[in-house]
């Protein structure tokens, strides 16, 4: 059986991947390229902010960051906190390394997507969960990951009730209803339009919040970092056909 964390990861994957669409904006202070005087967020509409986020995303080939994640289960009244590092590379590749809360060098689990499948491996239980992306609940998200999506075509955008000039926050509602998530929120850096925090709301009100720090972009991440081979002796929970 899948462990509770695997269930959380699988359920949150669609929303998490959708949220990643806007996380790879190049930082003007790092790249020094394409920088423009940022329009004051207070004078910008939600659509303006979304377009600026989209523009930066389209110019980015890869990014990496430290993250802190909080998954809140409303019905259970519980929150699960995790931390680690995330890596993303077009087209469709990503990797999440989760580390022990008491030992920053000890990995507890890893989630890897090579563009055709994603894998979740838990070190403690030596269990592997695999799912083909074509058969999963991620098609809308993958369009963004593969550079084919448009925020304003896929979502209705508005500024959230918590949005300020110093910390703009987009509220994104999918135009085509999905049973996997009902709303995304992006907290945006007002100068670079980098997304610094994402929150995914599922249909039951549960939230998956991810805060990103120390982001680095366009560092030509190697493809080998997004490959996964189940360790010897690991138990594959859902063996299935090869993924295209």
């Amino acid at each position: 059986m899948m462990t509770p964390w695997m269930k959380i990861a699988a359920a949150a994957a669609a929303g998490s991947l959708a949220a990643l669409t806007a996380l790879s904006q190049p930082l003007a202070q790092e790249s020094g390229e394409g920088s423009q005087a940022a329009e004051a967020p207070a004078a910008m509409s939600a659509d303006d902010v979304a377009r600026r986020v989209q523009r930066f995303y389209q110019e980015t080939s890869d990014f990496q960051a430290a993250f802190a994640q909080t998954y809140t289960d409303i019905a259970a009244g519980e929150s699960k906190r995790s931390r680690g590092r995330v890596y993303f590379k077009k087209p469709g590749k990503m990797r999440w390394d989760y580390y022990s809360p008491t030992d920053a060098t000890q990995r507890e689990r890893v989630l890897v997507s090579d563009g055709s499948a994603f894998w979740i491996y838990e070190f403690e239980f030596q269990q592997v969960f695999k799912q083909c992306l074509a058969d999963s609940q991620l098609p809308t998200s993958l369009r963004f990951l593969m550079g084919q999506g448009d925020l304003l075509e896929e979502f209705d955008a508005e500024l959230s009730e918590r949005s300020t000039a110093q910390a703009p926050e987009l509220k994104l509602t999918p135009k085509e209803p999905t049973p996997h998530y009902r709303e995304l929120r992006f907290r945006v850096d007002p100068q670079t339009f980098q997304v610094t925090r994402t929150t995914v709301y599922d249909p039951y009100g549960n939230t998956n919040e991810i805060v990103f720090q120390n982001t680095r972009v366009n560092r030509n991440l190697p493809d080998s970092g997004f490959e996964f081979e189940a360790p010897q002796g690991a138990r594959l929970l859902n063996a299935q056909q090869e993924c295209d």
Side-chain angles (χ1 to χ4, degrees):
M1 295 180 62
M2 293 177 67
T3 68
W5 188 92
M6 286 187 171
K7 291 180 180 179
I8 290 173
S16 296
L17 285 172
L20 282 172
T21 64
L23 295 180
S24 54
Q25 284 59 265
L27 302 180
Q29 57 265 45
E30 279 197 0
S31 66
E33 299 177 356
S35 59
Q36 301 177 8
E39 183 178 350
M44 298 180 70
S45 68
D47 284 5
D48 291 334
V49 175
R51 289 190 189 97
R52 188 65 63 88
V53 167
Q54 182 83 32
R55 182 189 309 169
F56 284 124
Y57 162 70
Q58 290 172 339
E59 296 173 355
T60 299
S61 60
D62 63 62
F63 89 96
Q64 55 188 297
F67 72 88
Q69 180 177 16
T70 303
Y71 180 85
T72 301
D73 186 323
I74 297 298
E78 298 177 346
S79 292
K80 181 176 180 61
R81 293 176 174 81
S82 308
R83 64 187 180 92
R85 291 200 60 82
V86 62
Y87 308 84
F88 169 72
K89 182 176 181 179
K90 294 179 182 177
K93 297 179 175 67
M94 73 170 185
R95 180 186 183 98
W96 299 76
D97 287 309
Y98 287 81
Y99 290 89
S100 165
T102 58
D103 185 349
T105 66
Q106 181 180 344
R107 284 188 299 172
E108 291 188 335
R109 46 195 163 270
V110 61
L111 187 154
V112 181
S113 168
D114 60 8
S116 62
F118 76 84
W119 305 77
I120 301 171
Y121 176 61
E122 288 194 308
F123 287 80
E124 179 181 0
F125 302 104
Q126 294 188 313
Q127 293 186 150
V128 178
F129 172 81
K130 176 188 177 184
Q131 188 167 17
C132 291
L133 293 179
D135 300 329
S136 72
Q137 304 165 349
L138 312 178
T140 299
S141 306
L142 280 181
R143 284 202 294 275
F144 288 103
L145 283 171
M146 300 178 74
Q148 301 172 350
D150 187 303
L151 285 175
L152 293 178
E153 287 185 1
E154 300 286 347
F155 297 93
D156 291 319
E158 59 184 297
L159 297 175
S160 79
E161 68 281 0
R162 296 181 295 185
S163 183
T164 66
Q166 293 73 34
E169 185 176 78
L170 282 174
K171 175 181 176 180
L172 299 167
T173 305
K175 292 184 177 181
E176 293 294 333
T178 168
H180 313 305
Y181 58 93
R182 62 177 174 83
E183 179 185 313
L184 307 178
R185 295 201 180 196
F186 292 163
R187 177 66 59 87
V188 180
D189 183 295
Q191 299 301 316
T192 65
F193 290 87
Q194 175 195 6
V195 174
T196 59
R197 184 178 74 192
T198 71
T199 307
V200 180
Y201 294 78
D202 75 10
Y204 307 101
N206 304 317
T207 60
N208 185 28
E209 179 183 277
I210 305 173
V211 177
F212 296 85
Q213 296 178 319
N214 303 321
T215 303
R216 293 186 291 172
V217 301
N218 294 336
R219 299 302 177 93
N220 194 27
L221 294 174
D223 290 337
S224 59
F226 303 95
E227 298 171 356
F228 180 83
E229 183 175 347
Q232 186 174 3
R235 185 161 63 101
L236 184 60
L237 298 184
N238 56 335
Q240 61 183 152
Q241 73 277 10
E242 292 294 321
C243 300
D244 297 326

